[in-house]
């Protein structure tokens, strides 16, 4: 199992994951497990359900030398660069990397852009990108968080810096999910693929039947 530092698994999924690991242990055609994602945005009550945010990712792989991390450990592939054969689990990764005070978030984004794109592309470092935008357009999370997050959630202190009332983007650089292209694709995804995987977007795996 591989988790990044801002990812958690809910205890309600522990048994499901363990049962799947036992079930497929001897199935050599199964390279790993695919998880669903909650990407929390701004606070612990909103999550990103927009096209452009990866809805799934591989987070358990078979422990063999032929499988290695891929794209800064975003995902996994075989060492010959072929995609893994995975089982699609009904379990979730809770991703909290975008739940930070706005100023901290813009600093993080600036550092990421500097590392991955070079200093010349680090245009957000001194911008007002730190605004999370109108929170009204972000879906509300109605579930529960992993129990280990209880104290952390109570410590949030920047809600007064978030915009829960306006409908406009104001005078700032828009986020990707606010652009027309992504809003259209999100509408299609939500209204025509409610119980099916959206065929467009990131797909670094091959799902196999059980």
């Amino acid at each position: 199992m591989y988790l990044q530092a801002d990812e958690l698994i809910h205890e309600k999924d522990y048994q499901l994951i363990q049962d799947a690991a036992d079930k497929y242990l001897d199935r050599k055609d199964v390279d790993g497990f695919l998880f669903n994602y909650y990407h929390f945005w701004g606070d612990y009550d909103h999550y990103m359900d927009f096209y452009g945010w990866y809805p799934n990712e591989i987070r358990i792989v078979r422990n063999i030398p032929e499988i290695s991390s891929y794209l800064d450990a975003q995902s996994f592939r075989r060492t010959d660069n072929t995609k893994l054969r995975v089982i699609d689990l009904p379990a979730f990764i809770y991703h909290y990397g975008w739940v930070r005070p706005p100023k901290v978030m813009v600093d993080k984004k600036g550092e990421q852009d500097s590392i991955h794109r070079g200093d010349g592309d680090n245009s957000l470092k001194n911008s007002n990108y730190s605004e999370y935008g109108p929170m009204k357009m972000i879906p509300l999370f109605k579930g529960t968080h992993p129990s280990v997050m209880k104290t952390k959630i109570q410590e949030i202190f920047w809600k007064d810096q978030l915009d829960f009332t306006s409908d406009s983007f104001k005078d700032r650089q828009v986020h990707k999910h606010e652009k027309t292209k992504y809003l259209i694709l999100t509408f299609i995804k939500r209204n025509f693929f409610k119980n099916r995987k959206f065929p467009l977007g990131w797909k670094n795996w091959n799902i196999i039947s059980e």
Side-chain angles (χ1 to χ4, degrees), residues 13-45:
D13 288 334
Y14 288 176
Q15 192 61 54
L16 183 156
I17 295 168
Q18 182 63 63
D19 290 345
D22 292 338
K23 179 179 178 179
Y24 295 105
L25 178 62
D26 296 322
R27 280 271 304 269
K28 300 305 181 184
D29 60 320
V30 177
D31 296 318
F33 297 143
L34 188 69
F35 286 75
N36 300 294
Y37 262 76
Y38 286 123
H39 298 283
F40 293 96
W41 176 261
D43 63 12
Y44 300 101
D45 299 321

PDB file of all heavy atoms in Angstrom, residues 13-45:
ATOM      1  N   ASP A  13     -13.273   1.267   5.503  1.00  0.00           N
ATOM      2  CA  ASP A  13     -12.842   0.506   4.327  1.00  0.00           C
ATOM      3  C   ASP A  13     -11.743  -0.503   4.628  1.00  0.00           C
ATOM      4  O   ASP A  13     -11.327  -1.245   3.727  1.00  0.00           O
ATOM      5  CB  ASP A  13     -12.348   1.470   3.232  1.00  0.00           C
ATOM      6  CG  ASP A  13     -13.478   2.241   2.578  1.00  0.00           C
ATOM      7  OD1 ASP A  13     -14.619   1.737   2.567  1.00  0.00           O
ATOM      8  OD2 ASP A  13     -13.224   3.354   2.074  1.00  0.00           O
ATOM      9  N   TYR A  14     -11.262  -0.557   5.869  1.00  0.00           N
ATOM     10  CA  TYR A  14     -10.150  -1.454   6.190  1.00  0.00           C
ATOM     11  C   TYR A  14     -10.459  -2.910   5.846  1.00  0.00           C
ATOM     12  O   TYR A  14      -9.659  -3.595   5.206  1.00  0.00           O
ATOM     13  CB  TYR A  14      -9.795  -1.360   7.680  1.00  0.00           C
ATOM     14  CG  TYR A  14      -9.108  -0.088   8.118  1.00  0.00           C
ATOM     15  CD1 TYR A  14      -8.822   0.129   9.459  1.00  0.00           C
ATOM     16  CD2 TYR A  14      -8.743   0.899   7.210  1.00  0.00           C
ATOM     17  CE1 TYR A  14      -8.193   1.295   9.884  1.00  0.00           C
ATOM     18  CE2 TYR A  14      -8.124   2.060   7.616  1.00  0.00           C
ATOM     19  CZ  TYR A  14      -7.854   2.258   8.962  1.00  0.00           C
ATOM     20  OH  TYR A  14      -7.236   3.409   9.377  1.00  0.00           O
ATOM     21  N   GLN A  15     -11.622  -3.382   6.286  1.00  0.00           N
ATOM     22  CA  GLN A  15     -11.949  -4.791   6.085  1.00  0.00           C
ATOM     23  C   GLN A  15     -12.146  -5.112   4.620  1.00  0.00           C
ATOM     24  O   GLN A  15     -11.719  -6.172   4.134  1.00  0.00           O
ATOM     25  CB  GLN A  15     -13.204  -5.163   6.882  1.00  0.00           C
ATOM     26  CG  GLN A  15     -13.439  -6.672   6.969  1.00  0.00           C
ATOM     27  CD  GLN A  15     -12.285  -7.383   7.666  1.00  0.00           C
ATOM     28  OE1 GLN A  15     -11.903  -7.030   8.779  1.00  0.00           O
ATOM     29  NE2 GLN A  15     -11.720  -8.399   7.006  1.00  0.00           N
ATOM     30  N   LEU A  16     -12.763  -4.207   3.894  1.00  0.00           N
ATOM     31  CA  LEU A  16     -12.964  -4.392   2.453  1.00  0.00           C
ATOM     32  C   LEU A  16     -11.612  -4.564   1.755  1.00  0.00           C
ATOM     33  O   LEU A  16     -11.444  -5.441   0.892  1.00  0.00           O
ATOM     34  CB  LEU A  16     -13.717  -3.193   1.890  1.00  0.00           C
ATOM     35  CG  LEU A  16     -14.101  -3.178   0.412  1.00  0.00           C
ATOM     36  CD1 LEU A  16     -15.309  -2.256   0.209  1.00  0.00           C
ATOM     37  CD2 LEU A  16     -12.973  -2.693  -0.495  1.00  0.00           C
ATOM     38  N   ILE A  17     -10.646  -3.733   2.125  1.00  0.00           N
ATOM     39  CA  ILE A  17      -9.319  -3.785   1.512  1.00  0.00           C
ATOM     40  C   ILE A  17      -8.609  -5.082   1.882  1.00  0.00           C
ATOM     41  O   ILE A  17      -8.007  -5.746   1.036  1.00  0.00           O
ATOM     42  CB  ILE A  17      -8.487  -2.563   1.939  1.00  0.00           C
ATOM     43  CG1 ILE A  17      -9.123  -1.280   1.401  1.00  0.00           C
ATOM     44  CG2 ILE A  17      -7.047  -2.690   1.454  1.00  0.00           C
ATOM     45  CD1 ILE A  17      -8.554  -0.012   1.999  1.00  0.00           C
ATOM     46  N   GLN A  18      -8.699  -5.456   3.154  1.00  0.00           N
ATOM     47  CA  GLN A  18      -8.052  -6.693   3.594  1.00  0.00           C
ATOM     48  C   GLN A  18      -8.655  -7.902   2.895  1.00  0.00           C
ATOM     49  O   GLN A  18      -7.928  -8.812   2.447  1.00  0.00           O
ATOM     50  CB  GLN A  18      -8.190  -6.850   5.112  1.00  0.00           C
ATOM     51  CG  GLN A  18      -7.503  -8.081   5.674  1.00  0.00           C
ATOM     52  CD  GLN A  18      -6.005  -8.058   5.481  1.00  0.00           C
ATOM     53  OE1 GLN A  18      -5.334  -7.177   6.011  1.00  0.00           O
ATOM     54  NE2 GLN A  18      -5.465  -8.995   4.708  1.00  0.00           N
ATOM     55  N   ASP A  19      -9.982  -7.924   2.766  1.00  0.00           N
ATOM     56  CA  ASP A  19     -10.646  -9.047   2.096  1.00  0.00           C
ATOM     57  C   ASP A  19     -10.213  -9.144   0.633  1.00  0.00           C
ATOM     58  O   ASP A  19     -10.003 -10.247   0.104  1.00  0.00           O
ATOM     59  CB  ASP A  19     -12.166  -8.890   2.184  1.00  0.00           C
ATOM     60  CG  ASP A  19     -12.694  -9.084   3.600  1.00  0.00           C
ATOM     61  OD1 ASP A  19     -11.949  -9.604   4.453  1.00  0.00           O
ATOM     62  OD2 ASP A  19     -13.854  -8.703   3.855  1.00  0.00           O
ATOM     63  N   ALA A  20     -10.089  -7.995  -0.031  1.00  0.00           N
ATOM     64  CA  ALA A  20      -9.667  -7.994  -1.431  1.00  0.00           C
ATOM     65  C   ALA A  20      -8.227  -8.485  -1.568  1.00  0.00           C
ATOM     66  O   ALA A  20      -7.898  -9.240  -2.494  1.00  0.00           O
ATOM     67  CB  ALA A  20      -9.803  -6.591  -2.015  1.00  0.00           C
ATOM     68  N   ALA A  21      -7.363  -8.060  -0.638  1.00  0.00           N
ATOM     69  CA  ALA A  21      -5.968  -8.501  -0.677  1.00  0.00           C
ATOM     70  C   ALA A  21      -5.867 -10.018  -0.513  1.00  0.00           C
ATOM     71  O   ALA A  21      -5.082 -10.688  -1.206  1.00  0.00           O
ATOM     72  CB  ALA A  21      -5.167  -7.790   0.405  1.00  0.00           C
ATOM     73  N   ASP A  22      -6.678 -10.568   0.392  1.00  0.00           N
ATOM     74  CA  ASP A  22      -6.693 -12.025   0.585  1.00  0.00           C
ATOM     75  C   ASP A  22      -7.249 -12.737  -0.646  1.00  0.00           C
ATOM     76  O   ASP A  22      -6.711 -13.762  -1.086  1.00  0.00           O
ATOM     77  CB  ASP A  22      -7.543 -12.377   1.807  1.00  0.00           C
ATOM     78  CG  ASP A  22      -6.919 -11.900   3.115  1.00  0.00           C
ATOM     79  OD1 ASP A  22      -5.693 -11.676   3.145  1.00  0.00           O
ATOM     80  OD2 ASP A  22      -7.670 -11.736   4.088  1.00  0.00           O
ATOM     81  N   LYS A  23      -8.312 -12.179  -1.211  1.00  0.00           N
ATOM     82  CA  LYS A  23      -8.988 -12.817  -2.345  1.00  0.00           C
ATOM     83  C   LYS A  23      -8.097 -12.908  -3.576  1.00  0.00           C
ATOM     84  O   LYS A  23      -8.096 -13.928  -4.282  1.00  0.00           O
ATOM     85  CB  LYS A  23     -10.259 -12.041  -2.675  1.00  0.00           C
ATOM     86  CG  LYS A  23     -11.037 -12.587  -3.860  1.00  0.00           C
ATOM     87  CD  LYS A  23     -12.304 -11.781  -4.106  1.00  0.00           C
ATOM     88  CE  LYS A  23     -13.067 -12.296  -5.320  1.00  0.00           C
ATOM     89  NZ  LYS A  23     -14.322 -11.522  -5.559  1.00  0.00           N
ATOM     90  N   TYR A  24      -7.327 -11.853  -3.835  1.00  0.00           N
ATOM     91  CA  TYR A  24      -6.561 -11.793  -5.079  1.00  0.00           C
ATOM     92  C   TYR A  24      -5.071 -12.068  -4.894  1.00  0.00           C
ATOM     93  O   TYR A  24      -4.294 -11.894  -5.829  1.00  0.00           O
ATOM     94  CB  TYR A  24      -6.746 -10.417  -5.722  1.00  0.00           C
ATOM     95  CG  TYR A  24      -8.172 -10.169  -6.163  1.00  0.00           C
ATOM     96  CD1 TYR A  24      -9.007  -9.322  -5.434  1.00  0.00           C
ATOM     97  CD2 TYR A  24      -8.686 -10.792  -7.294  1.00  0.00           C
ATOM     98  CE1 TYR A  24     -10.315  -9.104  -5.826  1.00  0.00           C
ATOM     99  CE2 TYR A  24      -9.992 -10.580  -7.696  1.00  0.00           C
ATOM    100  CZ  TYR A  24     -10.810  -9.736  -6.956  1.00  0.00           C
ATOM    101  OH  TYR A  24     -12.105  -9.529  -7.347  1.00  0.00           O
ATOM    102  N   LEU A  25      -4.684 -12.521  -3.727  1.00  0.00           N
ATOM    103  CA  LEU A  25      -3.271 -12.758  -3.454  1.00  0.00           C
ATOM    104  C   LEU A  25      -2.631 -13.683  -4.489  1.00  0.00           C
ATOM    105  O   LEU A  25      -1.509 -13.446  -4.948  1.00  0.00           O
ATOM    106  CB  LEU A  25      -3.098 -13.331  -2.046  1.00  0.00           C
ATOM    107  CG  LEU A  25      -1.669 -13.685  -1.643  1.00  0.00           C
ATOM    108  CD1 LEU A  25      -0.785 -12.442  -1.632  1.00  0.00           C
ATOM    109  CD2 LEU A  25      -1.654 -14.363  -0.272  1.00  0.00           C
ATOM    110  N   ASP A  26      -3.337 -14.733  -4.852  1.00  0.00           N
ATOM    111  CA  ASP A  26      -2.773 -15.732  -5.765  1.00  0.00           C
ATOM    112  C   ASP A  26      -3.191 -15.520  -7.214  1.00  0.00           C
ATOM    113  O   ASP A  26      -2.847 -16.336  -8.075  1.00  0.00           O
ATOM    114  CB  ASP A  26      -3.175 -17.137  -5.311  1.00  0.00           C
ATOM    115  CG  ASP A  26      -2.601 -17.480  -3.938  1.00  0.00           C
ATOM    116  OD1 ASP A  26      -1.453 -17.089  -3.676  1.00  0.00           O
ATOM    117  OD2 ASP A  26      -3.322 -18.108  -3.141  1.00  0.00           O
ATOM    118  N   ARG A  27      -3.893 -14.433  -7.483  1.00  0.00           N
ATOM    119  CA  ARG A  27      -4.275 -14.111  -8.869  1.00  0.00           C
ATOM    120  C   ARG A  27      -3.149 -13.298  -9.497  1.00  0.00           C
ATOM    121  O   ARG A  27      -3.101 -12.074  -9.376  1.00  0.00           O
ATOM    122  CB  ARG A  27      -5.576 -13.303  -8.885  1.00  0.00           C
ATOM    123  CG  ARG A  27      -6.853 -14.111  -8.724  1.00  0.00           C
ATOM    124  CD  ARG A  27      -7.387 -14.592 -10.067  1.00  0.00           C
ATOM    125  NE  ARG A  27      -7.616 -13.514 -11.017  1.00  0.00           N
ATOM    126  CZ  ARG A  27      -8.768 -12.863 -11.160  1.00  0.00           C
ATOM    127  NH1 ARG A  27      -9.794 -13.149 -10.373  1.00  0.00           N
ATOM    128  NH2 ARG A  27      -8.909 -11.923 -12.079  1.00  0.00           N
ATOM    129  N   LYS A  28      -2.245 -13.958 -10.178  1.00  0.00           N
ATOM    130  CA  LYS A  28      -1.071 -13.283 -10.721  1.00  0.00           C
ATOM    131  C   LYS A  28      -1.408 -12.305 -11.844  1.00  0.00           C
ATOM    132  O   LYS A  28      -0.566 -11.497 -12.240  1.00  0.00           O
ATOM    133  CB  LYS A  28      -0.060 -14.317 -11.228  1.00  0.00           C
ATOM    134  CG  LYS A  28       0.424 -15.275 -10.133  1.00  0.00           C
ATOM    135  CD  LYS A  28       1.005 -14.521  -8.934  1.00  0.00           C
ATOM    136  CE  LYS A  28       1.506 -15.492  -7.870  1.00  0.00           C
ATOM    137  NZ  LYS A  28       1.998 -14.785  -6.658  1.00  0.00           N
ATOM    138  N   ASP A  29      -2.640 -12.376 -12.357  1.00  0.00           N
ATOM    139  CA  ASP A  29      -3.048 -11.417 -13.384  1.00  0.00           C
ATOM    140  C   ASP A  29      -3.486 -10.088 -12.775  1.00  0.00           C
ATOM    141  O   ASP A  29      -3.718  -9.122 -13.494  1.00  0.00           O
ATOM    142  CB  ASP A  29      -4.193 -11.986 -14.227  1.00  0.00           C
ATOM    143  CG  ASP A  29      -5.428 -12.312 -13.399  1.00  0.00           C
ATOM    144  OD1 ASP A  29      -5.265 -12.837 -12.273  1.00  0.00           O
ATOM    145  OD2 ASP A  29      -6.555 -12.053 -13.869  1.00  0.00           O
ATOM    146  N   VAL A  30      -3.574 -10.026 -11.453  1.00  0.00           N
ATOM    147  CA  VAL A  30      -3.945  -8.800 -10.751  1.00  0.00           C
ATOM    148  C   VAL A  30      -2.676  -8.125 -10.235  1.00  0.00           C
ATOM    149  O   VAL A  30      -1.980  -8.653  -9.367  1.00  0.00           O
ATOM    150  CB  VAL A  30      -4.915  -9.078  -9.579  1.00  0.00           C
ATOM    151  CG1 VAL A  30      -5.220  -7.791  -8.823  1.00  0.00           C
ATOM    152  CG2 VAL A  30      -6.202  -9.705 -10.101  1.00  0.00           C
ATOM    153  N   ASP A  31      -2.406  -6.929 -10.761  1.00  0.00           N
ATOM    154  CA  ASP A  31      -1.199  -6.202 -10.356  1.00  0.00           C
ATOM    155  C   ASP A  31      -1.433  -5.274  -9.167  1.00  0.00           C
ATOM    156  O   ASP A  31      -0.487  -4.903  -8.473  1.00  0.00           O
ATOM    157  CB  ASP A  31      -0.672  -5.350 -11.519  1.00  0.00           C
ATOM    158  CG  ASP A  31      -0.215  -6.194 -12.694  1.00  0.00           C
ATOM    159  OD1 ASP A  31       0.435  -7.237 -12.460  1.00  0.00           O
ATOM    160  OD2 ASP A  31      -0.502  -5.813 -13.848  1.00  0.00           O
ATOM    161  N   GLY A  32      -2.692  -4.854  -8.963  1.00  0.00           N
ATOM    162  CA  GLY A  32      -2.960  -3.911  -7.886  1.00  0.00           C
ATOM    163  C   GLY A  32      -4.424  -3.552  -7.779  1.00  0.00           C
ATOM    164  O   GLY A  32      -5.279  -4.142  -8.450  1.00  0.00           O
ATOM    165  N   PHE A  33      -4.703  -2.554  -6.939  1.00  0.00           N
ATOM    166  CA  PHE A  33      -6.072  -2.112  -6.688  1.00  0.00           C
ATOM    167  C   PHE A  33      -6.224  -0.626  -6.988  1.00  0.00           C
ATOM    168  O   PHE A  33      -5.360   0.195  -6.650  1.00  0.00           O
ATOM    169  CB  PHE A  33      -6.461  -2.360  -5.226  1.00  0.00           C
ATOM    170  CG  PHE A  33      -6.474  -3.821  -4.836  1.00  0.00           C
ATOM    171  CD1 PHE A  33      -6.045  -4.207  -3.578  1.00  0.00           C
ATOM    172  CD2 PHE A  33      -6.916  -4.795  -5.722  1.00  0.00           C
ATOM    173  CE1 PHE A  33      -6.056  -5.547  -3.206  1.00  0.00           C
ATOM    174  CE2 PHE A  33      -6.923  -6.133  -5.360  1.00  0.00           C
ATOM    175  CZ  PHE A  33      -6.495  -6.512  -4.099  1.00  0.00           C
ATOM    176  N   LEU A  34      -7.353  -0.298  -7.587  1.00  0.00           N
ATOM    177  CA  LEU A  34      -7.698   1.077  -7.911  1.00  0.00           C
ATOM    178  C   LEU A  34      -8.665   1.614  -6.863  1.00  0.00           C
ATOM    179  O   LEU A  34      -9.623   0.936  -6.495  1.00  0.00           O
ATOM    180  CB  LEU A  34      -8.351   1.130  -9.300  1.00  0.00           C
ATOM    181  CG  LEU A  34      -8.608   2.505  -9.906  1.00  0.00           C
ATOM    182  CD1 LEU A  34      -7.286   3.179 -10.276  1.00  0.00           C
ATOM    183  CD2 LEU A  34      -9.499   2.370 -11.145  1.00  0.00           C
ATOM    184  N   PHE A  35      -8.419   2.837  -6.379  1.00  0.00           N
ATOM    185  CA  PHE A  35      -9.259   3.472  -5.372  1.00  0.00           C
ATOM    186  C   PHE A  35      -9.979   4.688  -5.950  1.00  0.00           C
ATOM    187  O   PHE A  35      -9.500   5.329  -6.879  1.00  0.00           O
ATOM    188  CB  PHE A  35      -8.407   3.938  -4.184  1.00  0.00           C
ATOM    189  CG  PHE A  35      -7.930   2.830  -3.286  1.00  0.00           C
ATOM    190  CD1 PHE A  35      -6.901   1.988  -3.692  1.00  0.00           C
ATOM    191  CD2 PHE A  35      -8.502   2.622  -2.044  1.00  0.00           C
ATOM    192  CE1 PHE A  35      -6.452   0.964  -2.885  1.00  0.00           C
ATOM    193  CE2 PHE A  35      -8.060   1.602  -1.213  1.00  0.00           C
ATOM    194  CZ  PHE A  35      -7.030   0.769  -1.636  1.00  0.00           C
ATOM    195  N   ASN A  36     -11.124   5.020  -5.356  1.00  0.00           N
ATOM    196  CA  ASN A  36     -11.813   6.283  -5.638  1.00  0.00           C
ATOM    197  C   ASN A  36     -11.182   7.388  -4.796  1.00  0.00           C
ATOM    198  O   ASN A  36     -10.450   7.113  -3.834  1.00  0.00           O
ATOM    199  CB  ASN A  36     -13.300   6.169  -5.311  1.00  0.00           C
ATOM    200  CG  ASN A  36     -13.977   5.078  -6.118  1.00  0.00           C
ATOM    201  OD1 ASN A  36     -14.090   5.173  -7.330  1.00  0.00           O
ATOM    202  ND2 ASN A  36     -14.425   4.037  -5.440  1.00  0.00           N
ATOM    203  N   TYR A  37     -11.504   8.646  -5.129  1.00  0.00           N
ATOM    204  CA  TYR A  37     -10.886   9.777  -4.430  1.00  0.00           C
ATOM    205  C   TYR A  37     -11.908  10.816  -3.986  1.00  0.00           C
ATOM    206  O   TYR A  37     -12.866  11.117  -4.702  1.00  0.00           O
ATOM    207  CB  TYR A  37      -9.879  10.483  -5.347  1.00  0.00           C
ATOM    208  CG  TYR A  37      -8.454  10.038  -5.088  1.00  0.00           C
ATOM    209  CD1 TYR A  37      -8.020   8.812  -5.538  1.00  0.00           C
ATOM    210  CD2 TYR A  37      -7.557  10.833  -4.374  1.00  0.00           C
ATOM    211  CE1 TYR A  37      -6.724   8.375  -5.300  1.00  0.00           C
ATOM    212  CE2 TYR A  37      -6.270  10.406  -4.132  1.00  0.00           C
ATOM    213  CZ  TYR A  37      -5.852   9.183  -4.597  1.00  0.00           C
ATOM    214  OH  TYR A  37      -4.570   8.760  -4.350  1.00  0.00           O
ATOM    215  N   TYR A  38     -11.673  11.346  -2.793  1.00  0.00           N
ATOM    216  CA  TYR A  38     -12.267  12.608  -2.341  1.00  0.00           C
ATOM    217  C   TYR A  38     -11.133  13.625  -2.267  1.00  0.00           C
ATOM    218  O   TYR A  38     -10.219  13.485  -1.451  1.00  0.00           O
ATOM    219  CB  TYR A  38     -12.899  12.476  -0.959  1.00  0.00           C
ATOM    220  CG  TYR A  38     -14.208  11.724  -0.915  1.00  0.00           C
ATOM    221  CD1 TYR A  38     -14.354  10.595  -0.096  1.00  0.00           C
ATOM    222  CD2 TYR A  38     -15.305  12.152  -1.659  1.00  0.00           C
ATOM    223  CE1 TYR A  38     -15.552   9.912  -0.026  1.00  0.00           C
ATOM    224  CE2 TYR A  38     -16.511  11.466  -1.604  1.00  0.00           C
ATOM    225  CZ  TYR A  38     -16.624  10.348  -0.787  1.00  0.00           C
ATOM    226  OH  TYR A  38     -17.823   9.666  -0.729  1.00  0.00           O
ATOM    227  N   HIS A  39     -11.176  14.644  -3.126  1.00  0.00           N
ATOM    228  CA  HIS A  39     -10.193  15.725  -3.083  1.00  0.00           C
ATOM    229  C   HIS A  39     -10.829  16.912  -2.350  1.00  0.00           C
ATOM    230  O   HIS A  39     -11.657  17.626  -2.926  1.00  0.00           O
ATOM    231  CB  HIS A  39      -9.814  16.174  -4.499  1.00  0.00           C
ATOM    232  CG  HIS A  39      -9.164  15.118  -5.329  1.00  0.00           C
ATOM    233  ND1 HIS A  39      -7.846  14.748  -5.160  1.00  0.00           N
ATOM    234  CD2 HIS A  39      -9.660  14.351  -6.338  1.00  0.00           C
ATOM    235  CE1 HIS A  39      -7.548  13.797  -6.046  1.00  0.00           C
ATOM    236  NE2 HIS A  39      -8.625  13.547  -6.764  1.00  0.00           N
ATOM    237  N   PHE A  40     -10.480  17.118  -1.098  1.00  0.00           N
ATOM    238  CA  PHE A  40     -11.084  18.212  -0.327  1.00  0.00           C
ATOM    239  C   PHE A  40     -10.464  19.545  -0.738  1.00  0.00           C
ATOM    240  O   PHE A  40      -9.279  19.627  -1.071  1.00  0.00           O
ATOM    241  CB  PHE A  40     -10.941  17.937   1.164  1.00  0.00           C
ATOM    242  CG  PHE A  40     -11.753  16.751   1.597  1.00  0.00           C
ATOM    243  CD1 PHE A  40     -11.178  15.494   1.695  1.00  0.00           C
ATOM    244  CD2 PHE A  40     -13.106  16.885   1.844  1.00  0.00           C
ATOM    245  CE1 PHE A  40     -11.928  14.388   2.039  1.00  0.00           C
ATOM    246  CE2 PHE A  40     -13.871  15.790   2.205  1.00  0.00           C
ATOM    247  CZ  PHE A  40     -13.281  14.527   2.297  1.00  0.00           C
ATOM    248  N   TRP A  41     -11.288  20.577  -0.699  1.00  0.00           N
ATOM    249  CA  TRP A  41     -10.912  21.870  -1.285  1.00  0.00           C
ATOM    250  C   TRP A  41     -11.224  23.007  -0.320  1.00  0.00           C
ATOM    251  O   TRP A  41     -12.381  23.241   0.022  1.00  0.00           O
ATOM    252  CB  TRP A  41     -11.688  22.073  -2.579  1.00  0.00           C
ATOM    253  CG  TRP A  41     -11.491  23.384  -3.275  1.00  0.00           C
ATOM    254  CD1 TRP A  41     -12.319  24.471  -3.219  1.00  0.00           C
ATOM    255  CD2 TRP A  41     -10.412  23.763  -4.149  1.00  0.00           C
ATOM    256  NE1 TRP A  41     -11.833  25.497  -4.000  1.00  0.00           N
ATOM    257  CE2 TRP A  41     -10.658  25.076  -4.587  1.00  0.00           C
ATOM    258  CE3 TRP A  41      -9.276  23.101  -4.594  1.00  0.00           C
ATOM    259  CZ2 TRP A  41      -9.793  25.744  -5.442  1.00  0.00           C
ATOM    260  CZ3 TRP A  41      -8.420  23.766  -5.454  1.00  0.00           C
ATOM    261  CH2 TRP A  41      -8.687  25.073  -5.870  1.00  0.00           C
ATOM    262  N   GLY A  42     -10.196  23.678   0.169  1.00  0.00           N
ATOM    263  CA  GLY A  42     -10.396  24.860   1.004  1.00  0.00           C
ATOM    264  C   GLY A  42     -10.670  24.564   2.458  1.00  0.00           C
ATOM    265  O   GLY A  42     -10.041  25.123   3.352  1.00  0.00           O
ATOM    266  N   ASP A  43     -11.633  23.673   2.698  1.00  0.00           N
ATOM    267  CA  ASP A  43     -11.940  23.232   4.058  1.00  0.00           C
ATOM    268  C   ASP A  43     -12.297  21.752   4.016  1.00  0.00           C
ATOM    269  O   ASP A  43     -12.101  21.085   2.995  1.00  0.00           O
ATOM    270  CB  ASP A  43     -13.055  24.091   4.677  1.00  0.00           C
ATOM    271  CG  ASP A  43     -14.384  23.968   3.937  1.00  0.00           C
ATOM    272  OD1 ASP A  43     -14.517  23.057   3.077  1.00  0.00           O
ATOM    273  OD2 ASP A  43     -15.286  24.771   4.202  1.00  0.00           O
ATOM    274  N   TYR A  44     -12.818  21.245   5.132  1.00  0.00           N
ATOM    275  CA  TYR A  44     -13.113  19.814   5.219  1.00  0.00           C
ATOM    276  C   TYR A  44     -14.548  19.492   4.824  1.00  0.00           C
ATOM    277  O   TYR A  44     -14.962  18.333   4.918  1.00  0.00           O
ATOM    278  CB  TYR A  44     -12.832  19.315   6.641  1.00  0.00           C
ATOM    279  CG  TYR A  44     -11.402  19.512   7.065  1.00  0.00           C
ATOM    280  CD1 TYR A  44     -11.032  20.572   7.899  1.00  0.00           C
ATOM    281  CD2 TYR A  44     -10.397  18.646   6.625  1.00  0.00           C
ATOM    282  CE1 TYR A  44      -9.707  20.759   8.278  1.00  0.00           C
ATOM    283  CE2 TYR A  44      -9.078  18.824   6.996  1.00  0.00           C
ATOM    284  CZ  TYR A  44      -8.742  19.885   7.827  1.00  0.00           C
ATOM    285  OH  TYR A  44      -7.434  20.062   8.193  1.00  0.00           O
ATOM    286  N   ASP A  45     -15.295  20.483   4.377  1.00  0.00           N
ATOM    287  CA  ASP A  45     -16.708  20.300   4.042  1.00  0.00           C
ATOM    288  C   ASP A  45     -16.982  20.322   2.550  1.00  0.00           C
ATOM    289  O   ASP A  45     -18.132  20.146   2.136  1.00  0.00           O
ATOM    290  CB  ASP A  45     -17.551  21.401   4.711  1.00  0.00           C
ATOM    291  CG  ASP A  45     -17.438  21.376   6.224  1.00  0.00           C
ATOM    292  OD1 ASP A  45     -17.406  20.265   6.799  1.00  0.00           O
ATOM    293  OD2 ASP A  45     -17.375  22.459   6.840  1.00  0.00           O
TER     294      ASP A  45
END
